[in-house]
Amino acid sequence: MSSTLMAASCCRCFVSYKRPRPIIATTTFVFFFLFLLFLLAAEAGATPPSNGTPGGALRPGEELLRFQRVKERLAGMRRASVKSIQSPDGDVIDCVPSHLQPSFEHPRLRGQKPEEEPTARPTARRRRRRSRGHGSGGEVEAGDGDEHGLQQAWWASGESCPEGTIPVRRTTEADLLRASSAAGRFGMKPRGGGAARRDSTSSGHEHAVGYVSGGQFYGAKASLNVWPAQVASPAEFSLSQIWLISGSFAHDLNTIEAGWQVSPQLYGDNNPRFFTYWTNDAYQETGCYNLHCSGFVQTNSRIAMGAAISPISSFAGRQFDITLLIWKDPKQGHWWLQLGSGALVGYWPSFLFTHLGARADMAQFGGEVVNTRPSGAHTPTQMGSGRFPADGYARAAYFRNVQLVDWDNNLIPAAALRLLADHPSCYDIAGGQGAAWGTYFYYGGPGRNSRCP
């Protein structure tokens, strides 16, 4: 794959949570909204019928049917819940039996249960709980010693999900309506906008990333600090993540992605949240965030996908980071996600992918924002902390101990990491090597400024 190609995270999703107990007025409004959407689309008559190809568009009736299916899935998920937890931040967490999670609606998984945890994990040094920040003498804190390497806001409730269940962040009808009204197609990114090329200036996605390409990669690992990035518009997002990539950016791109993101359209607020994503056709018809479709199989009873991360880093103050490891199990072939010092979140079944069914040929680390150019100017949406790399530790966002997994399931330093910023006057990146931080980089920026009009 050309090293000049960059992958962007996708905001498409098929939400599969259950809706809360309906109020008659709300339900009436929802059906009226859907009916009106159908009539307007039908009257326009300009949408071509779906032909099953990545570039095909849904007919209005198909879109209405999709809404109805989503609503049914929300109701079914809530009925399956054995316990509901009210989070202090306003989220509701439903405890759903692990074998009833959305992934097991997939034809190849129906009637099954989650796989056993892999016995062989990538060889890695035991990371210290507190380490000196590079060049600044600050302390990095990761989950206060918790094996997950992060904490979530809903934990403050003091409640937990029973054994044999997984925590599922409840998605409401308000989430559905917000996403559909902004995107045109429910929760989906416009076709053709899922990947940005190195020389692209029109995709709306801007990156500051480190990447390796041209090899065979079986996983990636890094620690990244979490910030309350300010997002200027509900139609935009800011994220920091790891990508594992294979295939053609034109039509059959395969990606696995995990990190933190701020997405008002998806979640309804500006909290940084833990997320995963996948696609096998360049973000066209497959894949989703978190558990919004059948795909990622969750095995962890403590981590809720899409839930807010707390605590988070503060400017010139304490720094909190999360450690992510994604790797391909040599025995079963699935791609597993690990947090912190050893907690497994779940896995992406290998059959979801074409190219990634074997391995990745690119690994990417860093930040991405969507720039909708509000009022004709560059967005002020922040990447990372909203500060440029030159501001350094406790001010700029970072990735540290960036590593790769080789063919023999060994963790190796990403010594050949190349750094790239699509628009360095808006969001930049700078890195190096250090004893405690290994391969590292600082990245991010404020978006609109005097050099980024």
Side-chain angles (χ1 to χ4, degrees):
M1 174 181 295
S2 170
S3 63
T4 62
L5 300 180
M6 304 307 303
S9 165
C10 176
C11 16
R12 301 172 37 193
C13 55
F14 298 88
V15 181
S16 53
Y17 303 137
K18 296 172 299 181
R19 61 185 175 93
R21 190 176 302 277
I23 299 174
I24 294 177
T26 301
T27 304
T28 301
F29 169 75
V30 170
F31 279 104
F32 174 76
F33 175 85
L34 297 180
F35 182 66
L36 181 61
L37 177 67
F38 172 75
L39 291 179
L40 290 176
E43 183 177 341
T47 303
S50 173
N51 56 12
T53 64
L58 287 171
R59 290 188 295 263
E62 291 175 334
E63 186 67 17
L64 186 63
L65 180 61
R66 174 173 287 163
F67 268 95
Q68 185 60 38
R69 287 173 177 170
V70 169
K71 288 168 64 66
E72 291 172 355
R73 292 174 107 188
L74 293 178
M77 188 64 66
R78 187 172 183 182
R79 286 193 298 269
S81 176
V82 300
K83 179 180 180 180
S84 295
I85 301 170
Q86 182 67 55
S87 173
D89 69 343
D91 281 354
V92 175
I93 305 298
D94 288 316
C95 302
V96 177
S98 60
H99 66 284
L100 296 180
Q101 63 182 288
S103 291
F104 292 102
E105 296 177 10
H106 194 286
R108 294 186 61 174
L109 291 177
R110 283 187 186 133
Q112 299 184 32
K113 294 182 179 181
E115 296 276 358
E116 294 292 327
E117 295 185 354
T119 55
R121 301 193 190 186
T123 303
R125 295 177 181 176
R126 187 176 181 82
R127 120 167 149 71
R128 293 179 294 177
R129 306 316 305 171
R130 293 175 184 261
S131 60
R132 286 291 173 184
H134 180 84
S136 298
E139 288 186 339
V140 176
E141 304 194 32
D144 288 340
D146 189 275
E147 68 166 343
H148 294 92
L150 66 76
Q151 296 185 59
Q152 294 191 304
W154 70 276
W155 294 3
S157 68
E159 299 286 337
S160 61
C161 284
E163 184 178 353
T165 68
I166 63 167
V168 177
R169 177 185 177 271
R170 184 181 297 176
T171 300
T172 67
E173 288 182 347
D175 294 330
L176 304 184
L177 295 176
R178 182 178 58 252
S180 64
S181 62
R185 301 189 305 154
F186 167 66
M188 294 183 179
K189 192 175 187 178
R191 293 181 177 90
R197 297 178 181 271
R198 185 172 176 174
D199 58 356
S200 174
T201 58
S202 60
S203 71
H205 292 257
E206 300 183 17
H207 307 79
V209 298
Y211 69 99
V212 291
S213 61
Q216 298 181 1
F217 310 113
Y218 297 84
K221 182 179 183 180
S223 298
L224 55 156
N225 58 346
V226 182
W227 291 90
Q230 298 300 302
V231 174
S233 164
E236 299 178 342
F237 65 71
S238 178
L239 60 78
S240 298
Q241 67 172 52
I242 296 174
W243 291 260
L244 286 168
I245 305 164
S246 191
S248 166
F249 279 65
H251 56 84
D252 64 349
L253 186 75
N254 290 197
T255 76
I256 289 172
E257 308 168 24
W260 63 265
Q261 67 179 161
V262 177
S263 176
Q265 178 177 303
L266 188 59
Y267 303 108
D269 58 30
N270 285 278
N271 295 324
R273 295 173 176 271
F274 173 64
F275 81 96
T276 64
Y277 193 83
W278 69 274
T279 182
N280 66 20
D281 63 356
Y283 307 99
Q284 297 297 321
E285 300 292 343
T286 66
C288 62
Y289 281 114
N290 306 325
L291 301 178
H292 292 174
C293 66
S294 57
F296 184 82
V297 179
Q298 183 165 336
T299 59
N300 193 293
S301 63
R302 185 68 168 149
I303 296 296
M305 316 287 280
I309 300 171
S310 178
I312 55 179
S313 301
S314 59
F315 182 77
R318 298 170 68 187
Q319 300 299 293
F320 293 88
D321 65 22
I322 60 176
T323 299
L324 303 174
L325 167 62
I326 305 170
W327 89 99
K328 187 175 179 62
D329 174 26
K331 185 176 181 180
Q332 297 293 336
H334 304 314
W335 291 90
W336 281 83
L337 172 61
Q338 176 179 303
L339 282 175
S341 62
L344 296 181
V345 181
Y347 61 93
W348 293 267
S350 59
F351 66 74
L352 292 175
F353 306 102
T354 52
H355 302 286
L356 277 175
R359 60 184 176 271
D361 53 28
M362 176 184 282
Q364 185 172 303
F365 312 79
E368 176 190 357
V369 301
V370 170
N371 171 27
T372 61
R373 295 191 62 82
S375 303
H378 193 285
T379 181
T381 286
Q382 298 175 340
M383 179 188 293
S385 68
R387 297 292 182 125
F388 285 113
D391 286 350
Y393 182 77
R395 291 167 173 80
Y398 64 74
F399 275 66
R400 62 185 179 91
N401 298 118
V402 178
Q403 299 172 288
L404 302 167
V405 179
D406 68 10
W407 65 272
D408 200 26
N409 213 30
N410 295 312
L411 276 168
I412 58 175
L417 193 72
R418 287 178 281 184
L419 306 181
L420 175 70
D422 291 337
H423 302 280
S425 61
C426 308
Y427 314 106
D428 207 357
I429 185 168
Q433 300 284 330
W437 278 25
T439 301
Y440 73 91
F441 59 83
Y442 290 100
Y443 70 101
R448 185 192 307 162
N449 64 80
S450 59
R451 297 184 296 114
C452 176

